[in-house]
Amino acid sequence: ARRTLHLPRATPSKGTEKYIRKDFQEKFPNSIKSCKVGFMSPDTNAMKNPSYGQVCSGETGHVEVLDVTLNDPAEHLQPLLQFFYSFHDPTTMNRQGNDAGTQYASAIFTSDEEQERIARAVTDGLQNSLHSGFTPGGYFGNMIATAIVPYTEFYPAHEEHQEYLAKNPNGYCNHYIRFKEWPSLN
């Protein structure tokens, strides 16, 4: 099984990177081997090697993502996805907070069938909880819009975009913890 998963992230904050690199790693020490911000497109025919400006135009079909490599995907993929949904609003198709456009799409790029199965199970579990009345603060709606799509080519963003909030502690971030405990269907 491949160890890499690609999660959407928000710009200009790079908030997803901060939450995964710092906060998830605190909950699950040594779980993250590496992570890097960049771009991917669900369209295999999308422009090759787009610039940040081209992606921001919304015309390339690329989504701003965080490339995450786990040390032990079998142990940490499910909790990583659950943690991701705790700070990312999956109910908006092309928006996160004030950031709007196709580059802000909610998409999980999976590298193999097992990752896809786990991503769908976690997403379906959250959707069932939303249908059953679970209402996390900060979710725009109650229907998950997150696309789960196959891995395509990853294009790393330039160095100034890596670890953005660590370099710019007062930078804008539209992410925040929306719920602390994964909902259960009792």
Side-chain angles (χ1 to χ4, degrees):
R2 292 183 70 158
R3 297 172 180 242
T4 304
L5 180 73
H6 307 276
L7 302 171
R9 67 172 179 81
T11 293
S13 72
K14 300 357 174 232
T16 301
E17 180 183 27
K18 177 259 183 198
Y19 279 101
I20 298 298
R21 187 181 296 273
K22 180 182 174 290
D23 299 332
F24 182 77
Q25 191 82 300
E26 283 179 10
K27 288 180 94 162
F28 296 93
N30 302 314
S31 57
I32 305 292
K33 184 175 184 178
S34 66
C35 57
K36 186 173 275 256
V37 296
F39 323 108
M40 293 182 81
S41 174
D43 179 1
T44 57
N45 296 315
M47 171 190 281
K48 303 297 180 206
N49 203 21
S51 70
Y52 178 70
Q54 289 169 320
V55 171
C56 287
S57 75
E59 296 177 10
T60 68
H62 289 83
V63 178
E64 297 181 7
V65 299
L66 180 67
D67 176 72
V68 180
T69 302
L70 297 169
N71 281 317
D72 185 355
E75 182 178 345
H76 294 117
L77 180 57
Q78 180 178 335
L80 174 67
L81 291 169
Q82 290 172 334
F83 182 75
F84 166 70
Y85 280 138
S86 77
F87 68 82
H88 170 86
D89 180 0
T91 67
T92 56
M93 186 170 292
N94 293 318
R95 164 176 230 108
Q96 283 297 301
N98 294 328
D99 298 327
T102 56
Q103 69 272 29
Y104 302 108
S106 183
I108 297 172
F109 293 83
T110 58
S111 298
D112 59 35
E113 289 179 7
E114 181 64 5
Q115 283 188 0
E116 179 183 355
R117 184 191 67 72
I118 293 169
R120 289 195 187 285
V122 169
T123 303
D124 290 347
L126 180 57
Q127 183 62 74
N128 289 338
S129 294
L130 292 171
H131 283 316
S132 296
F134 176 64
T135 55
Y139 274 21
F140 183 75
N142 67 354
M143 292 297 297
I144 294 179
T146 302
I148 299 171
V149 296
Y151 171 94
T152 58
E153 191 163 352
F154 172 74
Y155 299 101
H158 292 114
E159 188 56 37
E160 67 267 19
H161 298 288
Q162 307 298 329
E163 298 187 54
Y164 179 83
L165 286 178
K167 296 173 186 173
N168 302 280
N170 295 321
Y172 166 71
C173 181
N174 60 42
H175 290 311
Y176 56 92
I177 299 297
R178 289 165 162 82
F179 59 92
K180 293 184 180 190
E181 296 293 326
W182 190 252
S184 63
L185 293 172
N186 294 341

